[in-house]
Amino acid sequence: MSEPLGPPPAPSLGHGIGVIFRMQTRRLVRGRKLRLGLVSVALVLFAVVAARYAGASGEVGPDRAAELAAAAVRDGIDWGFFHLLVFLIPFLFNAHAIGEEVESRTFTYLSSRPTGRFAITVGKWAAGALFGVALVVGATLVLHVAAYATEPSALVEELGGTLKAAGALALLTLFYSSLCTFWGAVAPEAAGIISALYLAVIEFLFGLLPGYFRCISMNYLGQQLAGLEKGGLMAESAPDVPMMIGASVIAMMAILFLGFAAMVVQISEYRFNRA
Amino acid sequence: MSQEASIRTVRLSKWYGKVTALQEVSLHLGPGIWGLLGPNGSGKTTFLRLVAGQLRPALGEVLVCGHRPFANPEALRRIGLCPEADAMYDELTAVEMVQSLAELSGYGREEAKKRAIDALTSFGLEDAMNRRVAGFSRGMRQRAKLAQAVVHDPDVILLDEPLTGTDPVSRQAILTEIRRRAANGAVVLFSTHVLPEVEALTEQVLLIARGQLVAQGKVHEIRDLMEEHPHHIRVECDRPRELAAHLCGVEGIVGVQFAPQGVEVMSWDPDSTYEAIARKVVELGVQLGSITSPDADLESLFHYLVQRSSAGAGTGADAAVGAAPRQAYQAQVQGPGGSR
């Protein structure tokens, strides 16, 4: 055993975030969540790619094949990614990031260390967000390659549009990661249900409403960034949002929710206040 | 080790809604080992959580080495906490977990790993440290928890029921390490509801009951008080009536009553009573489930001390020197209601 020399000085914020990030990453890799995320992504990809090639059964010309591939990528990104995976993946990795520590009482180990609680929140968010972005963006690129596999020239030509969508999805994933981390910090015991409700009502349903209501949903702004066609009720009444404004609003909301999450973690006693 | 290692509380109070968990506790603890003794639900864990910076006081103040601990890195870097809950990062190996927590205390990766290995080795986990803690026994988990509490050489070590679930070998390793830390100038405060655990470590004890510090003093003073209250021994067996009938005549036993799946024996002389129970079990061929010592004897002592302090005897060392008349207690336990 080392000879006691007294404890070291309190670590810097960056050091703390790095350690929490590595801890959380290790836990995600070894836990069930990453496997669940991979299975979800695989199922969506399988469904979209299967639909793409089922539509091309029999002899089709190169133009028709490129059209089918473009439609598969467009619809796959719209419904498979913007309306499903971009909600599911951050929910999986971030909704319980704080809550599971509180519920399983391991939060004590972190909060009794001199690393600030801000580092705990940011480190956990960063690990979940990184996995989320990697999965969503990775899957988008896999979809593109799989859909255009038989049309090499279209594969290259259409890559720009897919990358634009991947960028919008990455930004949305960061925002939803912050959102889920926030609800997990506010209500650790009900993080899943509150995050799911928020995502379903504010993000999904409001994204289908007419007019300016739609702008409440960051998902709609993300779709605008990706250049997707408007859908839902009275689609033509929904405003067009310039790319810079849309991206800035999503990024600001991501930072805002992460900041709120850090503030809640900073001041909370959590369930330690139960005898 | 810093010179000013200390815990100071001034009228420290904590409420959970309408429930008072801790009420106006004032004390000052310097380097050495301190036992925090009290029955379950008495406020021990709340007190430790307040000192560890997990809770904020509702009223009063707690200072660790001169700093308020809640979310305060300057205080937290000097605290090592071993919580009571059997919670760990099951996805990590013991060395990964302790290393990560050492890094969170401010060490670099290599130094943290070296310290984690040293700490786990000092608690006898050298062969298991590269296994995931999910597969650890209760005693091993307890030792890993203790290793993370001391890996950064804290000035103030807070241990919540540290000997729970440990086997005799682990227990010895833990006691040795705690003594060594205290000898190096740390304040070690550990909670328990079992008096012999305190006696194995220290003479200095704080008694807490119903959220109040009812006494502070030497273990032998507590022991003197306890002698006014018989020790309770619970025996779970297949033929409690037969065993009870044979135990009634044994010297030192002042009462026998039926408990769920067994009998509860009250005795002035626990050592000889344990021997007598073992002898009778063998003689009668009774199938034994378990022999445990519930803290009912402590409960009765604390009840007495709370009443005493409410009546004006006050808390502190003076509260530990009073004595209830043995005869009165004996009359009470032998009155109507199941005593022999």
Side-chain angles (χ1 to χ4, degrees):
Chain A
M1 190 74 198
S2 325
E3 275 309 302
L5 297 169
S12 68
L13 179 65
H15 176 92
I17 291 173
V19 178
I20 297 284
F21 176 84
R22 269 188 284 122
M23 257 181 111
Q24 186 71 1
T25 301
R26 216 172 248 161
R27 296 182 68 201
L28 283 172
V29 167
R30 293 179 190 170
R32 282 177 306 177
K33 289 176 185 169
L34 182 60
R35 273 171 274 166
L36 273 172
L38 285 168
V39 168
S40 315
V41 166
L43 286 174
V44 169
L45 283 177
F46 176 79
V48 176
V49 174
R52 146 74 176 98
Y53 288 102
S57 57
E59 282 296 312
V60 290
D63 291 347
R64 175 68 184 142
E67 270 175 35
L68 285 171
V73 170
R74 189 183 59 241
D75 294 344
I77 285 176
D78 191 350
W79 287 101
F81 285 72
F82 274 97
H83 288 101
L84 184 61
L85 287 180
V86 80
F87 297 130
L88 186 67
I89 300 296
F91 174 84
L92 207 54
F93 293 145
N94 283 85
H96 297 95
I98 302 289
E100 71 186 358
E101 295 261 8
V102 174
E103 289 292 295
S104 67
R105 297 181 180 230
T106 50
F107 190 74
T108 311
Y109 294 118
L110 306 181
S111 58
S112 63
R113 300 280 160 182
T115 300
R117 292 180 176 211
F118 184 78
I120 298 173
T121 316
V122 175
K124 284 183 163 290
W125 169 84
L130 178 86
F131 274 82
V133 168
L135 265 186
V136 170
V137 171
T140 310
L141 297 177
V142 169
L143 171 65
H144 181 86
V145 172
Y148 287 105
T150 56
E151 306 302 321
S153 57
L155 187 144
V156 178
E157 282 166 19
E158 301 297 330
L159 186 61
T162 305
L163 286 177
K164 199 167 139 187
L169 284 167
L171 201 54
L172 272 182
T173 304
L174 292 178
F175 167 64
Y176 291 144
S177 297
S178 298
L179 184 84
C180 292
T181 304
F182 169 72
W183 287 117
V186 170
E189 60 286 293
I193 189 75
I194 297 178
S195 298
L197 272 173
Y198 187 101
L199 291 172
V201 176
I202 306 294
E203 288 300 314
F204 185 84
L205 290 179
F206 270 70
L208 301 173
L209 291 181
Y212 280 90
F213 283 118
R214 204 171 281 210
C215 292
I216 292 171
S217 163
M218 295 301 113
N219 194 276
Y220 172 69
L221 299 186
Q223 290 176 44
Q224 290 275 290
L225 273 180
L228 296 182
E229 283 174 22
K230 294 174 198 169
L233 292 171
M234 299 166 69
E236 65 285 353
S237 68
D240 291 321
V241 181
M243 185 186 282
M244 279 308 293
I245 292 179
S248 304
V249 169
I250 297 173
M252 273 170 46
M253 291 297 279
I255 293 168
L256 205 63
F257 271 97
L258 182 62
F260 284 149
M263 202 166 72
V264 171
V265 172
Q266 181 69 27
I267 59 173
S268 289
E269 293 181 328
Y270 284 126
R271 66 182 300 160
F272 305 121
N273 62 4
R274 292 179 195 172
Chain B
M1 190 68 60
S2 172
Q3 291 290 317
E4 72 271 30
S6 65
I7 298 170
R8 183 184 291 277
T9 69
V10 182
R11 302 187 72 184
L12 182 63
S13 305
K14 184 70 184 173
W15 302 296
Y16 301 130
K18 289 180 181 172
V19 178
T20 304
L22 209 63
Q23 195 179 339
E24 302 208 342
V25 173
S26 298
L27 52 78
H28 178 243
L29 306 179
I33 305 177
W34 299 83
L36 182 62
L37 192 63
N40 290 326
S42 58
K44 300 189 298 291
T45 298
T46 297
F47 181 74
L48 286 178
R49 285 174 181 168
L50 282 159
V51 176
Q54 304 295 305
L55 296 175
R56 269 179 301 217
L59 205 68
E61 189 171 51
V62 55
L63 297 173
V64 175
C65 306
H67 301 278
R68 290 195 181 104
F70 186 84
N72 179 358
E74 194 46 47
L76 293 175
R77 76 184 186 87
R78 306 181 71 168
I79 295 173
L81 171 67
C82 176
E84 184 191 9
D86 183 34
M88 301 190 84
Y89 293 106
D90 287 342
E91 303 90 347
L92 305 183
T93 66
V95 75
E96 284 170 348
M97 176 178 148
V98 179
Q99 180 192 342
S100 299
L101 295 172
E103 286 183 59
L104 288 178
S105 286
Y107 293 107
R109 211 180 293 191
E110 288 308 310
E111 174 68 6
K113 185 166 189 179
K114 182 179 165 297
R115 283 182 164 271
I117 291 169
D118 285 351
L120 288 161
T121 303
S122 72
F123 284 105
L125 286 172
E126 58 271 31
D127 296 330
M129 65 172 74
N130 290 310
R131 278 167 43 199
R132 288 197 193 176
V133 291
F136 276 19
S137 67
R138 182 93 195 268
M140 291 163 81
R141 292 167 77 87
Q142 193 67 23
R143 282 183 279 159
K145 275 163 56 183
L146 284 157
Q148 66 77 31
V150 299
V151 69
H152 55 300
D153 290 335
D155 295 323
V156 173
I157 302 173
L158 306 169
L159 311 172
D160 200 353
E161 308 269 0
L163 299 174
T164 305
T166 53
D167 57 77
V169 178
S170 317
R171 196 184 178 89
Q172 199 49 48
I174 292 167
L175 295 181
T176 304
E177 189 57 27
I178 291 174
R179 284 193 198 101
R180 197 180 72 81
R181 296 271 163 186
N184 280 315
V187 184
V188 179
L189 177 61
F190 75 100
S191 76
T192 178
H193 61 276
V194 185
L195 187 61
E197 286 186 359
V198 180
E199 288 177 309
L201 269 173
T202 184
E203 262 288 294
Q204 305 172 112
V205 66
L206 311 163
L207 271 88
I208 195 163
R210 297 179 193 176
Q212 290 175 282
L213 183 68
V214 290
Q216 179 176 352
K218 301 284 184 190
V219 170
H220 69 84
E221 292 170 341
I222 308 299
R223 182 54 91 181
D224 289 346
L225 277 175
M226 293 203 52
E227 283 174 5
E228 305 302 327
H229 300 265
H231 190 83
H232 289 232
I233 301 165
R234 188 172 293 162
V235 185
E236 280 186 19
C237 60
D238 62 340
R239 283 151 39 214
R241 286 186 177 279
E242 203 174 328
L243 182 64
H246 283 81
L247 286 173
C248 279
V250 174
E251 195 180 338
I253 293 180
V254 293
V256 178
Q257 60 191 25
F258 292 105
Q261 298 166 343
V263 291
E264 193 162 309
V265 179
M266 283 157 278
S267 164
W268 298 120
D269 184 358
D271 293 342
S272 69
T273 304
Y274 277 114
E275 282 174 23
I277 291 170
R279 209 168 44 243
K280 292 291 178 192
V281 163
V282 173
E283 277 173 19
L284 300 169
V286 170
Q287 195 161 2
L288 196 62
S290 66
I291 301 181
T292 53
S293 176
D295 59 6
D297 43 351
L298 271 177
E299 290 271 13
S300 59
L301 170 64
F302 292 139
H303 180 67
Y304 161 68
L305 287 171
V306 169
Q307 280 183 330
R308 224 182 107 82
S309 65
S310 316
T315 57
D318 64 318
V321 296
R326 182 176 178 139
Q327 293 78 4
Y329 190 87
Q330 201 151 8
Q332 187 188 334
V333 296
Q334 285 181 341
S339 301
R340 70 172 171 146

